[in-house]
């Protein structure tokens, strides 16, 4: 007999197994073994006729949920049941948070062990931590379970009640979520502000001065005793000058005249000032601050950050990565201070150990911040980690060590100079003692380089000095609209508003991108027209559900349920039932919402109406008695749509496309058009005889008005044959693809070798020699050699299980076995535990995996067909009281709570 330890993942199981005696058997549950039904197929036949079944929660009987074992978890459950037969004790060792507590509770309910049961929790996977946890087991915390279950039910109630309403009123496949809809609204509100913003201009002067052959710069500060306008004097939301500001606003002509007047006049130093200041190190990482800083410093998305951090935790490198506390244990403080003394010297150590207090709402101080694991922190370059794992571990190591370092001592320098009636100010900064800067500067990858940037040295200046002016320049400025959210700034806002939990932010951002509410452009989250329509509907009819204050109060209630201060059932009843409950609100508004109004988007200063159609957004404008419509290109955002662009789209629709010229060889006209996927050139007209004339998209950055006849002819001639490869003799070609311009070497039976062109390369002029240079470089990017996502190691052979992108979409690969993603799963939602049964099924069948095939119609719309019958899930009812079902749920493809917001 043995003691059975159950954890969530194979990686965690392997690491823990090293720290337990030989008679302990460690198995992985692969995450949750039960959940609410994900589709109608998973609902047991006995419950399909219930009138509450569409929710999967019996709201008529104490909000009892039905928990079923998904098809993909059947094998895992059987293995755990088999392992249980040989165990004389069960230890549930899932994560320490609410989700981990819930997994343990589900395992207990499902397995029904007859042997003693213990709940084991730990914050890090080290030998000392595991042994300590083993000696201090406890029982399952029912309050934590209720909190997680309440959150899961809330997500289901909101998603499955509001999403069908959006399908009926706006478009099929949309979804609403308790937290995701608030996040989308924040992004839409920022875009509205950008659209309403009116750019204002202002000018100033910058002087190049010299004192004792030491150059320095100064900027105009006041004119005739009145402060010169700077960016802070303008309203950041409107762009207009703030009404209570008494400032001088110079235009270009005034700035030039002032420059000419001051040139050649004597300068004098009239005041100098030095202000000492102290910079304190940032606290150690929480989940949200790690996501923010990894995004800023490493360029890693929130999802990838959590993915890498999960791996580091499970392999024993860092402590648990889902936390909102900045507290450090005494052993962590000691380890960090030891690192400081060894790596940087005693003078860089803070005089006393530092502890930090969490300021975010609902923080759980009992937890610990994210830090390197163990009583001694492993030096990053001695860990054997590579690439992203090393980069993220190093970031965590530096932040933790820096928080125990001495404060940085800085002196701010200010010099005021006068020339006639104008005063100029020169600013400088001197680092007297770098302190923690030596290890870590927030937002910078290189502390040494950042240290240099922190200092701005001024020459020694005193009152009465007369520096010489070498040059005076006029500098124009324009007020800028509020910046779009990045992942980092959205995470920061959600946390400060108390919306959602830090552990859910990565999945929330992934969900709103996958749902088509947001596009990621140059790290900025840009809302789509669909997002505008959905947010407007929710604001008009369900304002509480997209209000940050209301959602924050929901989180507080869940926190109170977790500690036993609030009862979960009365809270759910108040939220969903009764006259003011969500269920009745939806019923009442069902007939009040006009789909024609819901699909329309009001944009300021735009004569055309914007609507959401079956194939995406389009503009509609009356011309006489006729209504003209035109599709809006996918890359055009609500903030960027202006009257000029509307005019271009309508002109193309009413007058036909712009003609660039006539093809010199065929004599056919060449047109420039704008389609749903952007501008392109077309050879000849589309007729009954020529339904698909040759078309080529314009390269990125090329505007329709910049297209010449020569360029158009060259684009239509793609692909270009550059010549034979000197080794294979096979042709090398240049062309444009969905990911931009590229060169390709056709190697015959060995396949094709692709390389993307670089910024300086032109697909129309690139030479054979340049193509050979590119092909000689190591291959990177989206090819099958580089996985989109690393899911982990297969528990049977320890070989990697990865996601790749193929010609028919994303697929799972393990060795020689490839498996398609099932309906409803995406790159973001698929996990190792979900992938393993799919690979096993594919390996057993030995058949080709069916894939989705996407084709493009003549109108540019997409059709998707799938040659795969949906498998019927088998529901499994337990003996617990919480056993209910739902009759019919949306298909997985549009499952509104597919990406759960629970944590």
């Amino acid at each position: 007999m043995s003691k059975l330890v159950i954890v969530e993942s194979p990686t965690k199981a392997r690491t823990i197994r090293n720290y337990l005696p030989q008679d302990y058997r460690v198995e992985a549950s692969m995450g949750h073994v039960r959940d609410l039904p994900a589709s109608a197929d998973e609902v047991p036949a006995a419950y399909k006729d219930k009138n509450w079944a569409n929710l999967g929660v019996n709201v008529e009987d104490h909000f009892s949920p039905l928990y079923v074992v998904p098809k993909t978890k059947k094998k895992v459950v059987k293995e755990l049941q088999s392992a249980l037969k040989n165990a004389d004790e069960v230890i549930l060792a899932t994560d320490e948070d609410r989700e981990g507590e819930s997994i343990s509770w589900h395992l207990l309910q499902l397995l029904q062990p007859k042997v003693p049961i213990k709940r084991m929790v730990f914050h890090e996977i080290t030998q000392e931590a595991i042994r300590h946890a083993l000696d201090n087991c406890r029982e399952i915390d029912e309050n934590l379970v209720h909190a997680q279950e309440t959150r899961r039910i809330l997500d289901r109630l909101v998603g499955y009640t509001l999403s069908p309403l959006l399908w009926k009123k706006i478009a099929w496949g949309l979804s609403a979520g308790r937290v995701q809809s608030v996040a989308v609204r924040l992004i839409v509100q920022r875009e509205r502000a950008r659209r309403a913003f009116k750019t204002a201009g202002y000018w100033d002067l910058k002087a190049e001065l010299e004192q004792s052959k030491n150059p320095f710069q100064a900027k105009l500060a006041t004119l005739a005793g009145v402060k010169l306008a700077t960016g802070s004097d303008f309203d950041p939301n409107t762009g207009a000058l703030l009404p209570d500001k008494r400032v001088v606003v110079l235009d270009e002509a005034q700035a030039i005249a002032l420059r000419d007047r001051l040139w050649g006049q004597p300068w004098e130093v009239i005041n100098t000032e030095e202000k000492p200041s102290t910079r304190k190190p940032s606290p150690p990482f929480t989940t949200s601050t790690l996501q923010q800083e990894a995004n800023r410093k490493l360029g890693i998305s929130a999802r990838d950050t959590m993915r890498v951090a999960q791996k580091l935790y499970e392999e024993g490198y860092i402590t648990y990565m889902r936390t909102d506390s900045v507290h450090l244990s005494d052993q962590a403080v000691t380890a960090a201070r030891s690192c400081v003394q060894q790596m940087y010297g005693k003078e860089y150590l803070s005089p006393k150990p530092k502890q930090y207090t969490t300021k975010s709402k609902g923080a759980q101080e009992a937890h610990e911040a994210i830090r390197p694991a163990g009583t001694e922190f492993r030096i990053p370059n001695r860990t054997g980690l590579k690439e992203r794992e090393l980069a993220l571990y190093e970031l965590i190591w530096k932040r933790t060590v820096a928080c125990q370092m001495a404060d940085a001592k800085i002196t701010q320098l200010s010099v005021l100079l006068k020339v006639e009636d104008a005063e100029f100010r020169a600013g400088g900064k001197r680092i007297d003692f770098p302190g923690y800067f030596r290890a870590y500067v927030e937002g910078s990858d290189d502390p040494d380089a950042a240290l240099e940037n922190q200092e701005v040295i001024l020459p020694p200046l005193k009152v009465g000095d007369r520096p010489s002016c070498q040059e005076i320049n006029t500098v124009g400025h324009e007020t800028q609209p509020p910046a779009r959210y990045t992942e980092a700034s959205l995470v920061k806002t959600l946390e400060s508003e108390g919306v959602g939990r830090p552990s859910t932010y990565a999945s929330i951002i992934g969900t709103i991108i996958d749902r088509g509410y947001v596009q990621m452009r140059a790290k900025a989250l840009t809302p789509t027209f669909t997002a505008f329509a959905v947010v407007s509907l929710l604001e008009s009819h369900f304002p509480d559900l997209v209000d940050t204050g209301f959602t924050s109060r929901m989180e507080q209630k869940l926190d109170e349920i977790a500690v036993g201060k609030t009862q979960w059932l009365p809270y759910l009843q108040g939220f969903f039932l009764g006259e003011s409950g969500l269920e009745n609100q939806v019923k009442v508004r069902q007939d009040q919402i006009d789909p024609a109004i819901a699909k329309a988007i009001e944009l300021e200063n735009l004569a055309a109406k914007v609507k959401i159609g079956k194939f995406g957004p389009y503009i509609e404008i009356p011309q006489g008695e006729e209504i003209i419509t035109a599709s809006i290109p996918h890359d055009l955002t609500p903030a960027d749509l202006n009257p000029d662009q509307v005019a271009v789209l309508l002109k193309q629709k009413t007058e036909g496309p712009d003609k660039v010229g006539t093809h010199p060889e065929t004599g056919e006209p060449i047109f420039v058009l704008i389609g749903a996927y952007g501008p392109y050139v077309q050879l000849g007209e589309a007729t009954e005889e020529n339904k698909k004339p040759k078309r080529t998209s314009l390269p990125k950055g090329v505007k329709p008005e910049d297209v010449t006849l020569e360029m158009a002819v060259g684009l239509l001639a793609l692909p270009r044959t550059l010549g034979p490869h000197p080794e294979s003799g096979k042709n090398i070609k240049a062309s444009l693809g969905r990911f931009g311009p590229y060169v390709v070497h056709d190697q015959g039976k060995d396949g094709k070798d692709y390389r993307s062109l670089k910024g300086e390369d032109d697909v129309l002029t690139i030479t054979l020699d340049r193509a050979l240079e590119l092909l000689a470089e190591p291959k990177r990017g989206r090819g099958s050699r580089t996985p989109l996502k690393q899911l982990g190691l297969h528990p049977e052979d320890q070989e990697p299980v990865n996601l790749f992108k193929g010609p028919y979409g994303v697929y799972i690969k393990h060795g020689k076995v490839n498996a398609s993603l099932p309906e409803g799963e995406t790159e973001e939602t698929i996990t190792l535990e979900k992938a393993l049964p799919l690979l096993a099924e594919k390996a057993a069948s030995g058949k080709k995996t069916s894939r989705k095939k996407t084709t493009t119609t003549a109108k540019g719309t997409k059709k998707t067909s799938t040659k795969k019958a949906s498998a019927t899930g088998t529901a499994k009812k337990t003996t617990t009281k919480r056993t209910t079902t739902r009759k019919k749920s949306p298909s997985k493809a549009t499952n509104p709570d597919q990406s759960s917001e629970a944590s």
Side-chain angles (χ1 to χ4, degrees), residues 46-62:
Y47 297 96
K48 288 184 180 290
D49 61 344
K50 304 298 182 182
N51 57 8
W52 43 262
N54 64 312
L55 291 174
V57 178
N58 188 352
V59 298
E60 301 169 1
D61 182 21
H62 303 94

Side-chain angles (χ1 to χ4, degrees), residues 193-261:
R194 288 175 61 86
R195 188 169 183 84
F197 191 87
K198 305 297 181 186
T199 298
Y202 60 97
W203 288 72
D204 63 18
L205 302 183
K206 182 172 70 174
E208 302 289 339
L209 302 165
E210 192 174 275
Q211 174 73 17
S212 302
K213 297 186 179 181
N214 293 316
F216 66 99
Q217 294 180 344
K219 287 182 65 177
L220 180 62
T222 66
L223 186 62
V226 181
K227 177 181 175 293
L228 194 75
T230 62
S232 62
D233 297 313
F234 295 84
D235 189 321
N237 296 315
T238 66
L241 187 68
L242 292 167
D244 58 341
K245 293 291 183 179
R246 182 176 175 267
V247 293
V248 176
V249 181
L250 297 179
D251 60 24
E252 184 177 10
Q254 291 170 325
I256 292 173
L258 178 61
R259 178 197 64 188
D260 295 343
R261 178 164 68 86

Side-chain angles (χ1 to χ4, degrees), residues 87 205 209 223 287 293 331 352 405 415 475 500 528 541 629 678 733 737 749 781 795 820 825 843 892:
L205 302 183
L209 302 165
L223 186 62
T287 302
E293 192 72 341
Q331 74 170 28
K352 294 181 179 179
M405 293 179 74
V415 176
V475 183
T528 61
H541 299 280
T629 63
K733 296 181 180 181
K749 292 181 179 180
S820 297
E825 291 291 351
K892 286 184 180 180

